[in-house]
Amino acid sequence: MTVKVAGLGVELDRRPILTGVDLHVPEGSWTAVIGPNGAGKSTLLRAVLGLLDGVGSVTVAGRDLRALKARDRARLVAYAPQNPELPPGMSVFDYTLLGRAPYIPYLGRESVRDRTIASDVLERLHLTSFAGRDLAHLSGGERQRVVLARALAQQSPVLVLDEPTTALDIGHQQQVMELIDALRLADGLTIVTTLHDLTLAGQYADALVLLAQGRVAAAGTPAEVLTRATIARHFAANVRVTTGAGGRPVLSLERPC
Ligand SMILES: Nc1ncnc2c1ncn2[C@@H]1O[C@H](COP(=O)(O)OP(=O)(O)O)[C@@H](O)[C@H]1O
Ligand SMILES: [Mg+2]
């Protein structure tokens, strides 16, 4: 399902946070939103979810999510927030099962199928041995994968992930990115993520949107956006850009001399 944002403006606490933002994510593609801290990336994702009021339009498959009930919205878009609150005392399995809530009838119980889906997702994220663990007793990286598990269990056609790899070691980063990409290819999911790691963003995303101070400062293919000049300008970082597999850019920090 295509995600479209046009002329989006959002104010929080009477401060403009996003201004004139356009975003077009074709069905089955992956767009990564990048930008320095505080640029408005998380706010943009929350607007895509239909969780914020603002000017301009936000649609998923042509529908305005703000007009939908939470349950209907959740069947279209799954969201893994950057800093989710995890209810202490709940097990990893039960939390993952919450992803099935949009399909469980009111006052009903989850079905065998719902439980199977939750188990499968935990297995794909190598979390099976954590299923019975209390959420309060997880490491940062484990928490992050559990939040992703819940979002994947939702089986929505659009996945919105806010920095899904930030707390992960390099092996789990690769595993999570490969899993998301495999789901995109197999099921035609549309993916919108923010990503902190620019090389990782360039390796997996079809398109990058660089936000700076709430505006789109650059958009295009990874090679178009991840240039030395653009990174210097918007991140105040000195990087070297080389070309990696598939012509995708690879960034490394260079110490100023
Ligand atoms: N609920 C809020 N109320 C007021 N300001 C907010 C709120 N949430 C975020 N902001 C501000 O909006 C700006 C963008 O935040 P955010 O979207 O989280 O940036 P990013 O994800 O790019 O780091 C920041 O200056 C932040 O302080
Ligand atoms: Mg953020």
Side-chain angles (χ1 to χ4, degrees):
M1 291 184 174
T2 302
V3 175
K4 264 191 189 164
V5 172
L8 177 69
V10 171
E11 284 191 0
L12 297 174
D13 271 352
R14 294 204 220 125
R15 232 163 36 93
I17 305 295
L18 296 175
T19 310
V21 172
D22 296 326
L23 181 73
H24 180 200
V25 189
E27 176 165 329
S29 72
W30 183 335
T31 290
V33 180
I34 58 170
N37 295 336
K41 303 180 295 296
S42 295
T43 305
L44 174 56
L45 293 201
R46 294 191 339 111
V48 167
L49 265 288
L51 300 176
L52 296 174
D53 283 327
V55 301
S57 72
V58 177
T59 58
V60 173
R63 301 171 79 179
D64 182 349
L65 293 190
R66 285 173 291 197
L68 297 182
K69 288 191 204 133
R71 190 180 169 82
D72 295 328
R73 192 156 62 206
R75 290 181 185 200
L76 291 179
V77 184
Y79 172 48
Q82 187 174 1
N83 297 309
E85 298 231 341
L86 301 189
M90 184 180 272
S91 74
V92 165
F93 185 79
D94 286 346
Y95 182 76
T96 306
L97 208 47
L98 287 178
R100 302 302 304 159
Y103 308 96
I104 297 172
Y106 292 110
L107 305 176
R109 278 190 64 83
E110 76 278 359
S111 65
V112 172
R113 182 162 176 272
D114 294 320
R115 298 183 74 84
T116 305
I117 289 169
S119 300
D120 286 351
V121 167
L122 288 176
E123 197 175 321
R124 291 184 86 165
L125 285 165
H126 301 173
L127 286 168
T128 304
S129 59
F130 291 85
R133 277 268 206 108
D134 186 325
L135 293 174
H137 302 154
L138 298 175
S139 76
E142 289 156 3
R143 279 169 63 95
Q144 193 157 31
R145 284 185 295 137
V146 168
V147 171
L148 184 64
R150 174 185 166 163
L152 295 182
Q154 222 168 301
Q155 295 191 326
S156 312
V158 179
L159 259 185
V160 174
L161 310 172
D162 199 348
E163 301 205 8
T165 56
T166 309
L168 304 185
D169 62 57
I170 193 165
H172 283 117
Q173 283 184 21
Q174 190 170 45
Q175 185 217 349
V176 160
M177 296 295 273
E178 288 292 331
L179 174 57
I180 295 166
D181 206 41
L183 290 170
R184 179 177 75 83
L185 288 169
D187 303 338
L189 299 191
T190 307
I191 318 281
V192 185
T193 57
T194 62
L195 285 169
H196 209 62
D197 183 323
L198 300 176
T199 298
L200 204 60
Q203 268 176 345
Y204 285 92
D206 303 298
L208 299 186
V209 171
L210 169 60
L211 276 189
Q213 294 173 349
R215 294 172 189 268
V216 176
T221 63
E224 284 165 347
V225 175
L226 296 178
T227 65
R228 182 181 167 87
T230 302
I231 301 307
R233 180 162 172 213
H234 296 290
F235 291 84
N238 192 26
V239 297
R240 189 149 69 106
V241 183
T242 51
T243 303
R248 292 181 181 249
V250 175
L251 276 61
S252 44
L253 279 176
E254 276 197 332
R255 295 188 69 175
C257 37

